[in-house]
């Protein structure tokens, strides 16, 4: 029986240089695997693979040296341990994320929760070319959001509460973008300089800032043969409903206009950035 290597690759089994051997890419959302999944992965690697795993640059796990005639057994074993093969090819890939505010003191949003929502909505979706999402929790940008076709960065929009302020000056000292100043005994926030890092409100000893968590989107990032930094073209988004409306619009733009084998950034460039920006702003403001 002829082997359809294209189908195998689409399902996460990538051919190795060694004959009839595959490196199996697993589905990992936001870099999160529980202990039972890790046990299963270790058992599969020991019994069917080369006795080790490879950690990819996008928080993925690959098990090399899976034999062609054992692929079905491997799938069954993985399913028993709540593990799934990942995907390759022209599809939405693994959604990456940092640990976000659930773990990290700098985090502004729940990155893993959002990564799961993005994965449930888009993972393995067939598209003209591969498509990547990355979610990072704050301006420290550990996940390098702008490297992705669509990057999401957590932010906090703040508003000073005068009645609570004790004029300690901590927020002004800690602001890296120099957006905060004290004038005539009052805090002045330069919104044009603020990058929504949230350092001021996190450091404030008396909670003298109102917080409005949000999402900063970037579009068209690439980090391979061609390197392009994703661009921010709309203001911070505070509504999850609006966030997904904008993302759906961007993905739909790619579906409608991309040529086969063309990355998102090149589609926007070919069709016209003005047209893309217009559609994204319509989704944001409309």
């Amino acid at each position: 029986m002829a082997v359809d290597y294209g189908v195998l690759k689409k399902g996460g089994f990538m051919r190795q240089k060694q004959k009839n051997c595959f490196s199996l890419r697993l589905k990992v959302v936001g870099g999160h695997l529980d202990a039972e999944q890790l046990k299963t992965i270790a058992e599969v690697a020991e019994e069917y693979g080369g006795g080790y795993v490879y950690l990819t640059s996008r928080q993925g796990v690959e098990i090399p040296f899976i034999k062609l005639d054992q692929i079905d057994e491997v799938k069954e074993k993985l399913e028993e341990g709540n593990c799934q093969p990942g995907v390759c090819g022209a599809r939405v890939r693994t959604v990456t994320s940092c640990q976000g505010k659930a773990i990290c003191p700098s985090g502004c949003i729940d990155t893993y929760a959002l990564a799961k929502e993005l994965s449930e909505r888009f993972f393995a979706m067939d598209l003209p070319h591969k498509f990547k999402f990355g979610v990072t929790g704050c301006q420290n940008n550990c996940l390098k959001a702008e490297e992705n076709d669509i990057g999401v960065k957590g932010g906090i929009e703040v508003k000073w509460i005068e009645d609570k302020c004790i004029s300690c000056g901590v927020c002004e000292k800690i602001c890296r973008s120099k957006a905060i100043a004290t004038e005539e005994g009052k805090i002045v926030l330069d919104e044009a300089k603020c990058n929504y890092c949230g350092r001021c409100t996190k450091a404030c000893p008396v909670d003298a800032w109102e917080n409005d968590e949000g999402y900063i989107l970037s579009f068209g990032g690439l980090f391979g043969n061609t390197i392009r930094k994703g661009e921010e073209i709309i203001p911070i988004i505070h509504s999850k409903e609006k966030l997904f409306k904008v993302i759906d619009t961007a993905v739909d733009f790619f579906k409608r206009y991309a040529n086969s084998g063309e990355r998102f950034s090149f589609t926007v460039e070919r069709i016209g950035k003005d047209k893309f920006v217009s559609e994204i702003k319509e989704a944001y403001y409309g």
Side-chain angles (χ1 to χ4, degrees):
M1 182 183 295
V3 178
D4 192 332
Y5 292 105
V7 170
L8 288 174
K9 181 178 180 181
K10 194 174 183 180
F13 290 88
M14 299 173 293
R15 292 177 73 178
Q16 294 180 203
K17 61 187 295 184
Q18 293 82 7
K19 187 176 181 181
N20 291 329
C21 287
F22 296 81
S23 187
L24 168 58
R25 179 173 294 170
L26 299 175
K27 179 183 179 182
V28 180
V29 180
H32 182 96
L33 290 167
D34 62 36
E36 289 303 314
Q37 289 174 309
L38 288 172
K39 290 177 186 177
T40 298
I41 292 167
E43 290 169 2
V44 170
E46 186 69 34
E47 184 174 353
Y48 299 98
Y52 68 96
V53 299
Y54 170 70
L55 303 180
T56 75
S57 61
R58 286 187 57 81
Q59 300 182 322
V61 176
E62 292 179 6
I63 306 175
F65 291 100
I66 301 296
K67 307 301 184 294
L68 177 62
D69 60 359
Q70 293 181 316
I71 285 178
D72 289 337
E73 291 179 48
V74 167
K75 286 182 177 179
E76 291 178 8
K77 181 72 173 180
L78 289 171
E79 189 174 356
E80 291 172 5
N82 195 30
C83 296
Q84 300 176 42
V87 298
C88 297
R91 310 174 87 184
V92 175
R93 303 295 184 85
T94 293
V95 180
T96 61
S97 78
C98 68
Q99 297 195 83
K101 74 174 187 178
I103 299 292
C104 178
S106 298
C108 298
I109 59 172
D110 189 337
T111 52
Y112 179 54
L114 179 57
K116 287 196 294 183
E117 290 183 70
L118 288 167
S119 185
E120 290 167 2
R121 195 180 189 101
F122 297 107
F123 178 73
M125 177 185 287
D126 288 315
L127 291 173
H129 202 352
K130 61 185 174 184
F131 200 94
K132 299 176 181 179
F133 290 95
V135 185
T136 199
C138 68
Q139 287 292 341
N140 289 337
N141 206 10
C142 297
L143 231 291
K144 302 175 180 64
E146 291 87 356
E147 290 183 2
N148 295 270
D149 295 283
I150 295 181
V152 185
K153 186 182 298 180
I156 299 177
E157 194 166 17
V158 296
K159 183 179 180 181
W160 181 53
I161 307 173
E162 184 175 1
D163 292 345
K164 288 188 175 183
C165 184
I166 58 174
S167 302
C168 65
V170 169
C171 58
E172 183 177 357
K173 291 176 183 177
I174 205 169
C175 181
R176 290 172 173 170
S177 59
K178 307 300 180 185
I180 296 174
T182 303
E183 298 179 5
E184 298 180 356
K186 294 188 176 183
I187 294 294
V188 177
L189 174 66
D190 187 340
E191 295 182 2
K193 289 183 179 179
C194 180
N195 66 358
Y196 311 113
C197 69
R199 285 169 60 83
C200 56
T201 185
K202 291 175 184 295
C204 181
V206 292
D207 297 325
W209 294 92
E210 290 181 6
N211 304 320
D212 195 0
E213 295 179 5
Y215 313 95
I216 302 164
L217 288 181
S218 58
F219 303 89
L222 284 171
F223 208 79
N225 292 313
T226 301
I227 297 175
R228 292 184 177 182
K229 181 181 177 181
E231 295 185 49
E232 297 173 16
I233 59 178
I234 51 175
I236 188 171
I237 297 173
H238 295 290
S239 157
K240 186 73 72 66
E241 180 181 0
K242 181 176 288 188
L243 173 69
F244 280 105
K245 182 179 180 182
V246 170
I247 291 175
D248 285 343
T249 298
V251 173
D252 183 64
F253 184 94
F254 187 50
K255 282 183 182 179
R256 284 183 284 128
Y257 294 114
N259 294 325
S260 178
E262 181 178 61
R263 290 297 296 272
F264 181 43
S265 178
F266 296 125
T267 301
V268 171
E269 181 178 66
R270 178 175 54 80
I271 298 300
K273 183 178 176 182
D274 289 346
K275 180 174 179 59
F276 175 70
V277 170
S278 176
E279 292 196 15
I280 293 298
K281 287 187 174 181
E282 172 64 27
Y284 181 88
Y285 292 107

